[in-house]
Amino acid sequence: MTPRSDAPRYAVLIDADNAQASLVAGMLAEVAKYGVAGIKRAYGDWTTPNLGRWKETLLEHSIQPIQQFRYTSGKNATDSAMIIDAMDLLHGQQLQGAAIVSSDSDFTRLAQRMREAGLYVLGIGERKTPRPFVSACDRFIYTDLLNREDGSTPAPVVAASAAPDASLIALLGSALEAGAEDDGWANLGEVGNQINRLQPEFDPRSHGHQKLGQLFDALPEFEVRRTPSGPAGHVRVEVRRAEAKKPARAGGRRNR
């Protein structure tokens, strides 16, 4: 299949000192949902033994390794090199987005700067990632939700049968209201956009469901409807708050 020429072009910048090689395939699969990974670079001191397992991954996924020696003990030269390189790419390449793979808060300002320049910033890191970096991204994906190198699917953080907490219902409700039409129904895609604006790290997989629509299906607080839309079997998915059921009157209808 020939790639779409109008697909957004992304730079994928990996802090190899702060990321797992076994998750690269899953990371790139996530990036592919947003655009084409036209630039793929991994930064680190490749002379150190702890990065030895990256070699096959770099070759398999055509990722360019960027060497950065550790000149001073305790100083992370990799972060500085990655930030400088990112700014060069920002001004020298026709990019629509960037994926920053790290759990390090040092990249907070980089994410902010890229967004200021109009790029869509996708962050990928562990759940220990500091909140400022998470919030600085348009979207943040936790690595425990990614498929592994062996193709295994990660277990959901919250079981699908677990009762949702009030904060989840409040988040979904706020996003729905922000995107709803006058009749109370909202397009699922627009609701998803609103959710990411409110909480960049939100992911239905954290709640036991692969898709946002499946999560809404599982919640009695909301209604979902699917209607055919356009050619090729496309379906329009909309959601709204479920109408409260009126209690039955005791004793039946009163005579007047």
Side-chain angles (χ1 to χ4, degrees), residues 26-132:
M27 295 172 188
L28 294 177
E30 291 293 329
V31 175
K33 296 177 182 178
Y34 297 85
V36 175
I39 298 172
K40 293 176 286 185
R41 298 179 182 177
Y43 300 78
D45 185 353
W46 302 103
T47 65
T48 58
N50 60 305
L51 294 183
R53 65 179 59 185
W54 274 87
K55 182 178 179 180
E56 290 185 8
T57 299
L58 296 174
L59 293 173
E60 180 180 355
H61 298 285
S62 189
I63 299 172
Q64 179 184 4
I66 305 297
Q67 171 63 28
Q68 182 58 52
F69 291 104
R70 297 180 180 181
Y71 298 111
T72 306
S73 177
K75 297 291 183 179
N76 196 339
T78 297
D79 290 3
S80 298
M82 185 168 156
I83 291 170
I84 293 171
D85 210 7
M87 295 308 297
D88 288 341
L89 290 172
L90 176 63
H91 295 292
Q93 299 284 338
Q94 295 298 317
L95 299 172
Q96 287 75 49
I100 303 174
V101 182
S102 181
S103 306
D104 195 330
S105 63
D106 287 349
F107 296 107
T108 301
R109 181 53 189 149
L110 175 61
Q112 293 171 336
R113 181 64 185 87
M114 286 185 153
R115 290 182 69 184
E116 290 169 2
L119 271 64
Y120 188 93
V121 178
L122 178 66
I124 302 176
E126 299 178 12
R127 290 191 182 267
K128 67 179 182 180
T129 304
R131 185 68 200 176

Side-chain angles (χ1 to χ4, degrees), residues 115 138 190-200:
R115 290 182 69 184
D138 288 290
E190 177 58 26
V191 174
N193 291 335
Q194 294 290 342
I195 291 173
N196 287 336
R197 293 186 185 109
L198 295 169
Q199 194 175 104

Side-chain angles (χ1 to χ4, degrees), residues 139-185:
R139 179 91 166 84
F140 197 92
I141 299 170
Y142 290 122
T143 53
D144 57 77
L145 301 175
L146 301 176
N147 289 335
R148 303 282 163 173
E149 191 176 46
D150 59 4
S152 62
T153 302
V157 177
V158 178
S161 60
D165 58 28
S167 62
L168 172 62
I169 301 302
L171 171 65
L172 298 180
S174 296
L176 192 157
E177 291 170 7
E181 302 291 340
D182 292 340
D183 60 1
W185 289 96

